[in-house]
Amino acid sequence: MDNQQGASKGVAAMAANDVPPARLLRINREIAEFNADPPPGIFIAPEEHDITKINAIVMGPKGTPLEGGFFHFSVQYIDRYPLEPPKVRFMTTDAGRVQFNEHIDKSGNICLSTLNTFGSTWSPAQSLSSLLLSIQSLLCDVHKFEDEAASECLESILQHETIRVAVCDTVEACLQDNSPFAQTLKDSVLKKFTDLYEMYEGVVISRLHLTGTQMNDPAGFNLGTYQFEKLLARLQELKQKVVEKNEAAATKVDT
């Protein structure tokens, strides 16, 4: 996979003069182990000039309202690593306007025992792979209300915001020249978007009847109205842009 090759190449090229050799060796090993056996639906890329900073895309788990979303997490190895876990922040918040999980707030703070932010289960035996798998598992935890109508409402809201923010916004960012993501992450996101496009479109079409109605958040927050018709048009536009980008890349290779 491109993610593996690109990340491995980047690791080899990075200088980290201010990182103690033992910690640098540990970080390099964890990245190499991740790339040798990447967990499904998780992609990583170290910062170009700082191996202690990792950008990770964790896809929303299948069978949940977050399915197919591209959720961005920033991982920072700290001075006391591996005695203490890395610092991890959730970045897919639409500038603090969206909350996808009750354990992750709108500021990107994550309540997770593996991170020692909700209990303390971290141990030096854990790794980047196990940490990201714990985060992916956390995304499976969607709150269920005793009132079935409230649960259905929350599911509709999460699907809407997943498509709007975690799919469309992320794909748009990956199509930009000044994208915050490394090329390996952009390639992974755009490929998955193409592979899952029919699923995204199906979710939106199934909810078109809600367009213009109020998002009745069970928690009582005013989230505005559903815009599934706009999301459908946006998905279709992004699909065309990805097709054109791929065609341009193929033409460039041929010439």
Side-chain angles (χ1 to χ4, degrees), residues 125-145:
Q126 300 199 58
S127 65
L128 179 63
S129 292
S130 65
L131 172 60
L132 292 174
L133 282 169
S134 294
I135 290 173
Q136 189 179 56
S137 179
L138 184 69
L139 294 179
C140 292
D141 187 9
V142 178
H143 187 79
K144 292 292 185 182
F145 295 91

Side-chain angles (χ1 to χ4, degrees), residues 65-155:
L66 309 185
E67 181 175 356
F70 302 104
F71 297 98
H72 177 203
F73 292 85
S74 174
V75 181
Q76 172 70 66
Y77 287 98
I78 62 175
D79 290 343
R80 285 186 53 77
Y81 187 82
L83 297 179
E84 294 181 7
K87 299 296 183 183
V88 183
R89 181 167 291 276
F90 180 59
M91 309 301 289
T92 310
T93 66
D94 191 24
R97 288 184 284 268
V98 178
Q99 183 172 358
F100 289 98
N101 186 286
E102 62 183 333
H103 304 293
I104 305 175
D105 68 21
K106 292 182 179 181
S107 297
N109 300 305
I110 306 167
C111 290
L112 182 64
S113 60
T114 310
L115 293 173
N116 290 353
T117 54
F118 186 76
S120 179
T121 62
W122 172 264
S123 80
Q126 300 199 58
S127 65
L128 179 63
S129 292
S130 65
L131 172 60
L132 292 174
L133 282 169
S134 294
I135 290 173
Q136 189 179 56
S137 179
L138 184 69
L139 294 179
C140 292
D141 187 9
V142 178
H143 187 79
K144 292 292 185 182
F145 295 91
E146 291 185 7
D147 182 354
E148 186 174 338
S151 292
E152 171 65 20
C153 185
L154 177 61
E155 179 176 317

Side-chain angles (χ1 to χ4, degrees), residues 186-242:
K186 291 194 289 185
D187 291 345
S188 296
V189 167
L190 295 180
K191 182 180 185 306
K192 280 293 184 181
F193 173 74
T194 301
D195 293 344
L196 297 175
Y197 179 80
E198 289 186 3
M199 185 272 289
Y200 299 136
E201 191 173 69
V203 168
V204 172
I205 290 174
S206 72
R207 301 288 191 183
L208 283 178
H209 63 283
L210 294 174
T211 298
T213 63
Q214 190 70 31
M215 290 187 191
N216 294 316
D217 179 20
F221 294 106
N222 182 9
L223 302 178
T225 59
Y226 290 107
Q227 300 295 327
F228 280 109
E229 288 184 2
K230 288 184 178 180
L231 287 182
L232 181 59
R234 195 175 172 198
L235 280 172
Q236 292 169 342
E237 181 182 0
L238 287 171
K239 179 185 179 183
Q240 184 59 34
K241 287 182 178 180
V242 172

